[in-house]
Every structure is written in structure tokens, then in C-alpha cells.
Amino acid sequence: MNELKIDTRLWSSKARNLSPYVPGEQPQHDNLCKLNTNENPFPPSPKVGEAIAQALARQADDLRLYPAPESDELRTALAQLYDLDANQVFVGNGSDEVLALVFASFFLKERPVLSPDIGYSFYPVYAHTFGIELVQIALEDDFSIDPDAYRQPCSGIIIANPNAPTGLLLSLADIRKLASEHSNSVIVIDEAYIDFAQVEEDSLETEVSAVSLINECDNILVTQTFSKSRSLAGLRVGMAFGNASLIEALTRMKNSFNSYPLDKLAQAGATASVLDVEYFEQTRQQVIDLRESLTASLQSLGYQVLPSHTNFVFARPKEGNASEVAAALREQGIIVRYFDKPRISEYLRITVGTAEQHQRLIAALTVLHADSNTIDSTAE
Amino acid sequence: MNELKIDTRLWSSKARNLSPYVPGEQPQHDNLCKLNTNENPFPPSPKVGEAIAQALARQADDLRLYPAPESDELRTALAQLYDLDANQVFVGNGSDEVLALVFASFFLKERPVLSPDIGYSFYPVYAHTFGIELVQIALEDDFSIDPDAYRQPCSGIIIANPNAPTGLLLSLADIRKLASEHSNSVIVIDEAYIDFAQVEEDSLETEVSAVSLINECDNILVTQTFSKSRSLAGLRVGMAFGNASLIEALTRMKNSFNSYPLDKLAQAGATASVLDVEYFEQTRQQVIDLRESLTASLQSLGYQVLPSHTNFVFARPKEGNASEVAAALREQGIIVRYFDKPRISEYLRITVGTAEQHQRLIAALTVLHADSNTIDSTAE
């Protein structure tokens, strides 16, 4: 990349003052062990490729026509998955686009939005983009969320559940409590990772997703994505579930930014993914099993690992600081995510990969910590 | 669709006050002669389907991974097409998304934005969405644009060129004049239809696209789309060309709304379309030829047809009002676009279709106007 001097003379003040989101890097090298952006180690359902290939063979010509404007097939399939009406379902170009529309539709008010101090780092970016005050509520010392800490005036609440990068799960009882205590605000539950969550052993609940609450609570809006549990990060599809009036607001907001829907191939592929329930159940269980074995391996190396309900683990090395571990792994072509932020700078976020990737990671860490012990003892 | 009572209690005031864009309808019937949304009558390049199929076959598994974050291949192909640097090219989910980011990046200022009173009807929607004052400058009586009418304080100008729904072309000399007279504002030229434009016979210019001006004028931003001349409305890809500093503003704005790029298949298909220059040249010439023959046929029925530089014609029936003609055509399964708006309510916007579609349209109009003559003479 050549050096470019940026001239902001013609920019709006909004453009000048942005703080864009910076996603995890996407290096393109062979033999890289890429455990930094929480992609699924398994491919998408074979039905996805078949559906897109069929759509192409049957209708390559039809790419000349605009897509189904309301993405009806996809929304209907998603509605049936959760026993909802199609008018309780919204789809967009990835859940990040959906979340941007959520901020504009429900949070653009006089009062602040509440969110945990540790969560998805795009939330403060959206707030900044739309001129919304975001008040960050500190997680407890064990990184759990205390609903009582949210008892303050606000125009809405947004919580990633399971939370990222901690991986911890908030109970439906707590979500219901937030919704009832803030009945005039929208409570957004960002469930990017929910399909990897499991009911806690000591819980009386039978569900983990707040989608099960939306017929009961008209102010709960749930966002999800095809990028994680459905292995379709490359297709850019996200969705929201909620009361039909909330979905209508999102639809109007979308049609005021970009009135066109998902492209035809994304609609076809995403629909096929939703319909292949068996493959979905199988791969998500495999990811959960891999997560548990990765957790055990890291623990055997002395790592403290938070109980994860996602396809990543949040782990703290027993010795050696996390940023140095990340740097050392990188030298061996293993990329994990490190956040240089208060409270979490001693942790690494490691995506659940294949068994082979885990072997490579654990082997590298084993050598690394053996070396660092040696170095430490020499230094003493 | 069941009747739904919308409850706006939880909406932001922005959501309550939106006036979403309403695109042309997309009825899904067989044997419909669909001449209302300016889709291309020809399929996309066969290379598009091949590229997507290859991407699927080679990398169906890779749909699990996020797409190339900067859409490098596609941007490089577009840059080469116009002899630009890749950092002078921006791509998005259709030109409507690109235009939304343009309004936020360059027009969100204290002064109004200027635009013709007859133009793409999404512009007032964007202005409303972003709280920007849009001042509409009246077209001349012949629907042409007088650059001198834009000599007033503004934060920017946006003009569809060729204009829609008139189909008329503004010269590069006039665009250059606007840019130099408003050197502190961004002049946006929305070239959705530019590939169907031809240099006017009496002109000394050799180019029609303002992309040829962007190295000369740092305040000209040009938007284009794959939906019209590239027959890819179903794939949702649009782009902008401009000075690297303008492109950087768009990139930052995008990364503050939705940091992810076009999906993998759209990137692959769009790139293949750009590289197949021969097919592109061939089909665009065919559309131009069909437009000229449609124009002649309508003129022979007494229609006044504006000289079109697009893939539609804007035509005024000699007798019978335009809305009645549109309604009568609809009864025969032929859909054209009618705008119930001041100054243009006597016109129909008719998409250039296939030769067969034109035959069907002209046959229907011939009968219709013969009938209406009979009715008229009986009534007298």
C-alpha cells in the first residue's frame, strides 16, 4: 500500500469524527492456523452449495432481475424454525448491518443505551456513528452480568449473549427481568453465538435463546447470524427476531438506507442452510465437543478457561503475559485474538478449530511455556 | 398478508419520521411483460455464472470464512477498466447502499444539497433519513439541466446522469463547470445508466462518463451499478469512483455501519462480469439498438419520446392520459412505470425489453389507441 495523504476537506463532520470498527485480521497465507475470527471449522451444509448451484443453473439468466424484495422464502424458513410468523423476522447483509439498523431504529433517543463494559466492540462504534450515548455497565469480577446494575434510565439495552469475548451465558430469567423492568425500551440480545450455548447444569430453564421470549415480551429484539453456527461467514447474512412492530421499524429504516434485499444467491443459500436441520445439529454438536476438549487441553497447561457457550474460548495463561503468547504463536503461523483493553488484557480469545488445529496449538503452547519456565528460572 | 396494527411506541423518533423509498413493484407472474424496473433484457455474461460455480466447487467450504475484506480483486478489475488506482474505487451492496454512504459522508452539513426537481426519487428519501435539506432545482421546460441554476450556496450536488426518468444526458463540459464552481463541495454524478449513453452528435466530447474527470476534479464522485448494463440486479453490487480521499471517507463510513464487504459469490461474479469486456460491449449495443427501434415504433404511434441515453424510454402518448394507458396495459400483463408527479404525469417510463416484448407492447398500444380514437369520436 502506498502512503496516501488523506484530505478531509470535503468530508462531512460526521465522516471526520468516525471511529470505524476494525475486525480481526484476515491474513491470506497457506498453512495458517487461523483461530482469530470465530469462523466455523466445518464447511456449510452441502445443501447450501447445491441450492446456489441449482439457482445458477436454472436461473443464471435471472440474475438480471432484482431479487425477491422481501426475502420471503428465507424469512418463512426462519420463522418456521422458531415457530414464528414471517413478520417477526428481518434479514440483512450480516448481523452487523442488522445491528446498525437496530441502533438507528430504537436507540436514537435522548437517553443513553446501556451495555456491558466488556462486549462486542462494534457497539461503541454504532453509538458514535449515530450520536447515541452508550453507558457501559461493569461486568462483575467473574465477568457475569448483574441485571440489577441496569436499573437506571435508558433508551435501550444491548447485550451479546453469550457474551463476547467472555463466552458466558445470561439466563432467560435475567433477560426477562431486564425486559420487564425496562418495558418502554427495546432490549437487544445479540445471539451471534447462541447455537453453541447449552442450558447450565443447575438451571431449571429448557431454552437458551431469547427468541423463545419474543411472544411474551414485546420489547425484546434478538439478532443472530449465519456466520458462526451455519458456517456462512462468506455469504453475509444476518437476521433479527421480534414483535412485528419492531420488525416493521427495521424494515422501514432499511428501506430508507438501501431498499434492496439480500442478493438472490445469498437468499437461496441461506434458505437451504436453515432447512438442513440435521447437518446443523450435527456440526454444532461437533463444535461444542471440540470446545470442551480444547478447554481441557488448555486447563492441563495451567490456563484458566472461562466456561464457554460459544465457538471460542477465553483463556488466561498461567504464566507469560497474553500478548507475548499471542506474538509467539503468530511466529509459528497460529493466529489468536488478543485485546489490549482494561480487564481482559491477560486473556486470549481462541476460536474452536479442527482437532488438527488444536493439536498444533497445544503443541506450540506446550513448548512455549516449557521454554518460558526455563527462561524464568534462568532469570531468577 | 394479515392486517397488522403497527405500534410505534418503542421506535426512535427517526424511525417514526422516515419516508422509505418504494421501488417499482416486482410481481411474480408467468408471461408477464415486465417493463417497469429497467432490468436488462439480456442475461449476464456466461462468465459470471461460471465464476460463481467455480468459486462454489473450489471453495464451497470456504464460504465458512469471511470474504476478502477490501474486495481487492473486484476493485482492481474496476480500476483497470477505467485506468484508475484501486484506492479510487469503492464497492457496496448495490448503488443504493453506496449512495446512502455518500449522503452521510459528504452532504451531512449545514448547507443544503442541490438536485434536479425530476430525478431518482430515492434522493429525497436519503436527505430525509440523514436530516439533510434537499433543494430541488427545476429542470428547464425541455427537461434539460441548466448548470447556471445551481449557482447558490450548497454542501453538495447530486445529479443522475443520464437523468431518470427523463433519460437525458448532461455534457461533461457542464459537469466540469459545476465542479469548478463548487470546488468546496462534492458533486455526485449517479451514472446508473451511463453505459447506454452515447456522445451527442453535435458534441466535441469523446466520453460520456464523468469517471474521465476524476483525476482532474478532486470533488467529483461517480456512482455506478451492476444492475443495469451488466444484467446483475439479482447480485446487488454497486460502486463509486473518485479521488482517493473521497473513497477513504466512504470506506470509513461503511466500516462504521457494517464493516464487512460484499459476499464471496458477489465478489467473484462481479469481477468476472468486469473482465468480460466483449460480452459487455455486445449486449450494451444490442440494448441501444432495441431502444432506438422502440423509440421509432412509439413515435409511429404518435408518442413524443425523449432522446434516451438509458435502457428505458420516457414517452408521452399523443392521446389518452398516461395513467389510463398504464392501467390498460396492465390488464394485458404489460407493466410499465407511471409516476403520479407534477410535470411528468403525462409520461410513461418504459424499460427497453426484448424484440418480442416490444412487439407485444406495440401491438397492445396500437389496439388501445385505435379503440380510444373510436371512443373519442363516438363521444363527440
Side-chain angles (χ1 to χ4, degrees):
Chain A
M1 190 84 186
N2 49 354
E3 279 300 313
L4 174 70
K5 192 165 176 322
I6 299 299
D7 175 5
T8 64
R9 180 178 59 94
L10 298 168
W11 297 17
S12 69
S13 57
K14 187 179 201 72
R16 281 180 204 165
N17 292 322
L18 290 173
S19 309
Y21 177 71
V22 181
E25 58 181 333
Q26 298 288 356
Q28 309 284 332
H29 305 299
D30 287 339
N31 198 29
L32 203 66
C33 187
K34 191 169 174 307
L35 302 175
N36 68 324
T37 52
N38 301 341
E39 288 142 330
N40 198 306
F42 299 105
S45 158
K47 300 266 170 66
V48 170
E50 286 167 24
I52 294 171
Q54 271 175 25
L56 268 179
R58 196 180 60 229
Q59 320 176 303
D61 289 9
D62 283 2
L63 280 181
R64 73 181 183 84
L65 301 175
Y66 285 98
E70 315 284 350
S71 304
D72 283 326
E73 270 189 41
L74 175 56
R75 285 172 51 245
T76 300
L78 285 167
Q80 286 170 352
L81 189 69
Y82 284 112
D83 203 14
L84 300 171
D85 287 334
N87 66 10
Q88 295 175 294
V89 183
F90 178 85
V91 294
N93 291 294
S95 62
D96 278 359
E97 182 186 72
V98 176
L99 286 168
L101 298 172
V102 164
F103 269 74
S105 299
F106 307 118
F107 293 166
L108 200 49
K109 297 173 179 172
E110 295 68 35
R111 284 158 298 153
V113 169
L114 311 181
S115 194
D117 62 338
I118 299 169
Y120 185 28
S121 46
F122 211 139
Y123 302 154
V125 174
Y126 292 127
H128 188 84
T129 302
F130 291 107
I132 296 164
E133 185 191 357
L134 185 80
V135 171
Q136 298 191 318
I137 309 291
L139 294 180
E140 302 296 287
D141 287 342
D142 63 358
F143 293 138
S144 66
I145 290 171
D146 175 10
D148 292 340
Y150 289 76
R151 275 208 200 107
Q152 51 185 282
C154 68
S155 73
I157 296 173
I158 183 163
I159 293 175
N161 190 47
N163 199 9
T166 65
L168 301 184
L169 185 70
L170 188 66
S171 71
L172 291 190
D174 283 343
I175 294 171
R176 190 185 278 111
K177 186 176 179 185
L178 287 170
S180 81
E181 288 181 353
H182 295 277
S183 59
N184 288 318
S185 302
V186 176
I187 312 302
V188 178
I189 308 297
D190 174 359
E191 295 189 344
Y193 299 102
I194 194 69
D195 294 325
F196 303 115
Q198 295 175 296
V199 176
E200 304 277 8
E201 277 179 19
D202 58 352
S203 167
L204 297 175
E205 296 178 353
T206 56
E207 301 273 350
V208 289
S209 170
V211 175
S212 60
L213 300 179
I214 67 175
N215 281 324
E216 174 189 343
C217 309
D218 69 0
N219 61 330
I220 289 182
L221 188 91
V222 179
T223 61
Q224 293 187 3
T225 177
F226 281 71
S227 298
K228 309 298 182 185
S229 58
R230 297 188 177 278
S231 307
L232 286 171
L235 207 59
R236 313 305 316 127
V237 184
M239 63 279 214
F241 302 98
N243 180 288
S245 289
L246 300 184
I247 298 303
E248 175 68 16
L250 289 176
T251 303
R252 288 193 196 177
M253 190 62 72
K254 169 193 156 310
N255 289 343
S256 303
F257 279 95
N258 178 9
S259 71
Y260 290 98
L262 288 175
D263 75 65
K264 286 192 170 190
L265 304 181
Q267 290 191 33
T271 304
S273 168
V274 174
L275 296 179
D276 193 352
V277 175
E278 191 182 347
Y279 183 89
F280 171 76
E281 292 296 346
Q282 178 194 320
T283 49
R284 98 163 145 174
Q285 188 58 51
Q286 285 175 292
V287 170
I288 291 171
D289 294 345
L290 281 162
R291 176 185 73 206
E292 298 309 314
S293 69
L294 175 62
T295 300
S297 300
L298 288 167
Q299 285 170 333
S300 72
L301 284 174
Y303 277 61
Q304 181 200 338
V305 186
L306 269 61
S308 171
H309 289 268
T310 65
N311 71 332
F312 59 81
V313 295
F314 203 51
R316 178 184 190 166
K318 187 174 148 197
E319 76 254 336
N321 79 37
S323 90
E324 285 174 12
V325 173
L329 287 174
R330 169 178 289 270
E331 286 183 16
Q332 303 189 41
I334 301 170
I335 318 267
V336 301
R337 190 93 191 254
Y338 170 73
F339 298 92
D340 188 12
K341 288 186 177 173
R343 299 189 69 184
I344 57 172
S345 63
E346 297 181 1
Y347 287 80
L348 296 173
R349 195 193 71 185
I350 307 173
T351 302
V352 173
T354 60
E356 293 68 32
Q357 289 177 314
H358 290 180
Q359 278 171 16
R360 187 169 156 194
L361 170 73
I362 296 299
L365 288 177
T366 303
V367 173
L368 186 69
H369 291 299
D371 285 356
S372 96
N373 278 343
T374 318
I375 295 168
D376 283 354
S377 29
T378 318
E380 276 168 33
Chain B
M1 192 84 188
N2 48 355
E3 279 300 313
L4 174 69
K5 193 167 176 320
I6 298 298
D7 175 5
T8 64
R9 180 177 62 93
L10 298 168
W11 297 18
S12 68
S13 58
K14 187 178 201 74
R16 281 180 204 164
N17 292 323
L18 291 173
S19 310
Y21 178 70
V22 181
E25 58 181 333
Q26 299 288 356
Q28 308 283 332
H29 305 299
D30 287 339
N31 200 29
L32 203 66
C33 188
K34 191 169 174 306
L35 302 176
N36 68 325
T37 51
N38 300 340
E39 288 142 330
N40 198 306
F42 298 105
S45 157
K47 301 267 170 67
V48 171
E50 286 166 24
I52 294 171
Q54 272 175 25
L56 269 178
R58 196 179 60 229
Q59 318 176 307
D61 289 10
D62 283 3
L63 280 181
R64 73 181 182 86
L65 300 175
Y66 284 98
E70 315 284 350
S71 305
D72 283 327
E73 269 189 42
L74 175 56
R75 286 172 50 245
T76 300
L78 285 166
Q80 286 170 352
L81 188 68
Y82 285 112
D83 203 13
L84 300 172
D85 289 332
N87 66 11
Q88 295 174 295
V89 182
F90 178 85
V91 295
N93 293 292
S95 62
D96 279 358
E97 183 188 70
V98 176
L99 287 167
L101 298 172
V102 164
F103 270 73
S105 298
F106 308 118
F107 293 166
L108 199 49
K109 297 173 179 171
E110 295 67 36
R111 285 158 297 152
V113 169
L114 312 180
S115 194
D117 63 337
I118 298 169
Y120 184 27
S121 47
F122 211 139
Y123 303 154
V125 174
Y126 293 127
H128 188 84
T129 301
F130 292 107
I132 296 164
E133 186 191 357
L134 186 82
V135 171
Q136 298 191 319
I137 310 290
L139 294 180
E140 302 296 286
D141 287 341
D142 63 358
F143 294 140
S144 67
I145 290 171
D146 175 10
D148 292 341
Y150 290 75
R151 276 209 199 106
Q152 51 184 283
C154 67
S155 72
I157 295 173
I158 182 162
I159 294 175
N161 189 47
N163 200 9
T166 66
L168 301 185
L169 185 70
L170 188 66
S171 71
L172 291 189
D174 283 343
I175 293 172
R176 191 185 278 111
K177 186 175 179 186
L178 287 170
S180 82
E181 288 182 354
H182 295 276
S183 59
N184 287 319
S185 302
V186 177
I187 312 301
V188 178
I189 308 297
D190 174 357
E191 294 189 344
Y193 299 102
I194 194 70
D195 294 325
F196 304 114
Q198 294 175 295
V199 176
E200 305 277 7
E201 277 178 20
D202 57 352
S203 168
L204 297 175
E205 297 178 353
T206 56
E207 302 272 351
V208 289
S209 170
V211 175
S212 60
L213 301 179
I214 67 176
N215 280 324
E216 173 189 343
C217 308
D218 69 0
N219 60 332
I220 289 182
L221 188 90
V222 179
T223 61
Q224 292 187 2
T225 176
F226 281 72
S227 297
K228 309 298 182 187
S229 57
R230 296 188 178 277
S231 307
L232 285 171
L235 206 60
R236 312 307 315 126
V237 184
M239 62 279 214
F241 303 98
N243 179 288
S245 289
L246 300 184
I247 298 303
E248 175 68 15
L250 289 177
T251 304
R252 289 192 195 178
M253 190 61 74
K254 170 194 156 306
N255 290 342
S256 304
F257 278 95
N258 178 9
S259 72
Y260 290 98
L262 287 175
D263 75 66
K264 286 192 169 188
L265 304 180
Q267 290 191 33
T271 304
S273 168
V274 174
L275 296 179
D276 193 352
V277 175
E278 191 182 347
Y279 182 89
F280 171 77
E281 293 296 345
Q282 178 194 319
T283 49
R284 99 165 144 173
Q285 189 57 52
Q286 284 175 295
V287 170
I288 290 170
D289 293 346
L290 280 163
R291 175 185 73 206
E292 298 309 315
S293 69
L294 175 62
T295 300
S297 301
L298 289 167
Q299 285 170 333
S300 73
L301 285 173
Y303 278 60
Q304 181 201 339
V305 185
L306 269 60
S308 171
H309 289 268
T310 65
N311 72 331
F312 59 82
V313 296
F314 204 50
R316 179 184 189 166
K318 187 174 145 197
E319 77 252 335
N321 78 38
S323 88
E324 285 173 13
V325 173
L329 287 174
R330 168 178 289 270
E331 286 183 15
Q332 303 188 42
I334 301 169
I335 318 266
V336 301
R337 190 94 191 252
Y338 170 73
F339 298 91
D340 188 12
K341 290 185 176 173
R343 298 188 69 184
I344 57 173
S345 63
E346 296 182 1
Y347 288 79
L348 296 173
R349 195 194 69 185
I350 306 173
T351 301
V352 173
T354 61
E356 294 69 32
Q357 289 177 315
H358 291 179
Q359 277 171 15
R360 186 169 157 194
L361 170 73
I362 297 300
L365 288 177
T366 304
V367 173
L368 186 68
H369 292 299
D371 285 357
S372 95
N373 279 342
T374 318
I375 294 167
D376 283 355
S377 31
T378 317
E380 276 168 32

